[in-house]
Amino acid sequence: MAHSAMSGYGTTPGDDPLQTAVWRLRSRACWADAAALLPHDTPATALQRATLMVERCLYTERGWAEAEDALRTAEAAAHTDEERGAAACERGQLAYAATLHGVRDRADEARAALGRAAALIPPGTAGRALLDFRRGLIAENLARSPQAARAAYRRAHAGATTHPDPLLLSFTWRHLAGLALRDGELAEARHGFAESLRIREELGYLVGTAPALASLADAESEPEASRLREEARRLFRLLGGVPTWLAHQLTPPAAGAATA
C-alpha cells in the first residue's frame, strides 16, 4: 500500500511551534485536529490543510467530502504556478486514493492532475520530488508498471536527498524496497525497509511506523519477522486500527490453518 508524503514541517527542534503541534497530531493519526490548528489566511496553510485531509483519506478510507472541500479551497487560494502545481499534485493524490480504495475509478483524473502539476512545478525543486513519488505510486499500483515506478521513485529519492525531506525519503526507501522484494533481492529490500523504519522512528511518525515494521517483517526470517509483526499490531491497535488497509496484512493465521 502506498502513502502520501509531505514535507516534515515541525519535525526538528527550533521549528515553528504551530507546525510542531500540527506534526505531532498528524503523526498520531489526528489529521482533522491538526488541520483545525492552521489559520485560514494564506495559500500555504490552505494547501497544508488539504494535504492533511487527503492523507486522512488514504489512511482511514473516510473523510472524502472534507478533503474535496479543503482541496477546492486550496485551488481557489493558489496564485502562483508553484501553488497551483502543488494543489494539482494533491488533486492527483486524492483521485489516486479514491481509485486505490475502490471508492470510484478516478485513475484518469489522477494522471491528468499530476500531468498539470508537472507542467507547473519546475524540475529540480523540492515539490518535484513529491510529484515524482506520486507518479511512481500510479505506475506501481494502477498501471502495474514496476519499471516505470522504480524510475520515478529513484528520481523522488534523489530529490528528497537534495532538498532534505526525511519523511519523503522514508517513503521512497520503502517503495524501492518493496520492488526489490518483489524481484527477490532480499538484502536490498531489508536495507530499504530498515532505513524507512529508522527515519520514521526518528521523526516520531507513529502512524507510519506500523506499516514500516510490517514491511520489514516481510523481508526478515523468523523469529525476527514475528517480533516485528507483533510490534506492528500493537501500534495498529494503539491508533484505533489505522491505517485501515494494514488490518489484513497483520491478521495472524487461524490456528491450524495451512500457510504457504
Side-chain angles (χ1 to χ4, degrees):
M1 175 61 67
H3 300 264
S4 166
M6 183 175 72
S7 180
Y9 300 121
T11 61
T12 56
D15 281 350
D16 174 21
L18 172 62
Q19 289 297 335
T20 299
V22 168
W23 169 254
R24 286 174 178 168
L25 288 167
R26 177 195 175 196
S27 66
R28 287 159 177 77
C30 300
W31 293 279
D33 291 338
L37 294 179
L38 295 168
H40 292 261
D41 56 351
T42 70
T45 53
L47 178 66
Q48 189 176 3
R49 186 177 297 104
T51 301
L52 290 166
M53 294 296 93
V54 170
E55 185 172 87
R56 182 175 72 163
C57 292
L58 192 61
Y59 276 76
T60 69
E61 301 179 59
R62 60 183 177 84
W64 302 98
E66 292 91 335
E68 289 284 358
D69 288 344
L71 189 49
R72 281 193 291 268
T73 298
E75 289 167 337
H79 297 303
T80 67
D81 281 352
E82 184 179 2
E83 291 165 354
R84 293 186 188 98
C89 191
E90 292 306 322
R91 170 66 63 187
Q93 182 70 359
L94 183 61
Y96 163 77
T99 305
L100 194 70
H101 285 311
V103 176
R104 183 158 58 90
D105 186 352
R106 297 172 60 180
D108 288 343
E109 180 187 350
R111 293 186 182 95
L114 295 187
R116 289 197 304 275
L120 292 165
I121 301 173
T125 62
R128 192 72 178 212
L130 177 58
L131 172 60
D132 284 334
F133 173 72
R134 288 175 170 174
R135 296 179 104 173
L137 296 180
I138 288 179
E140 180 180 4
N141 297 307
L142 301 188
R144 306 299 178 189
S145 176
Q147 295 86 357
R150 182 179 289 105
Y153 292 149
R154 284 175 174 166
R155 290 194 301 272
H157 193 86
T161 302
T162 301
H163 304 277
D165 187 341
L167 182 60
L168 180 54
L169 279 173
S170 82
F171 284 96
T172 55
W173 272 122
R174 183 165 176 265
H175 283 269
L176 285 167
L179 293 176
L181 183 63
R182 180 184 300 180
D183 291 341
E185 301 291 341
L186 278 179
E188 182 180 343
R190 193 177 297 118
H191 174 70
F193 288 140
E195 283 297 296
S196 178
L197 176 61
R198 176 188 62 78
I199 292 170
R200 293 180 180 193
E201 288 179 335
E202 288 177 355
L203 292 176
Y205 189 50
L206 195 62
V207 72
T209 300
L213 286 162
S215 292
L216 181 57
D218 290 340
E220 289 285 2
S221 56
E222 296 296 350
E224 180 65 6
S226 290
R227 185 194 70 78
L228 290 165
R229 288 194 184 95
E230 185 52 42
E231 178 63 10
R233 288 187 195 102
R234 185 188 70 81
L235 289 175
F236 179 71
R237 291 191 296 266
L238 179 67
L239 292 174
V242 176
T244 53
W245 46 262
L246 197 59
H248 177 73
Q249 187 177 349
L250 292 178
T251 302
T259 57

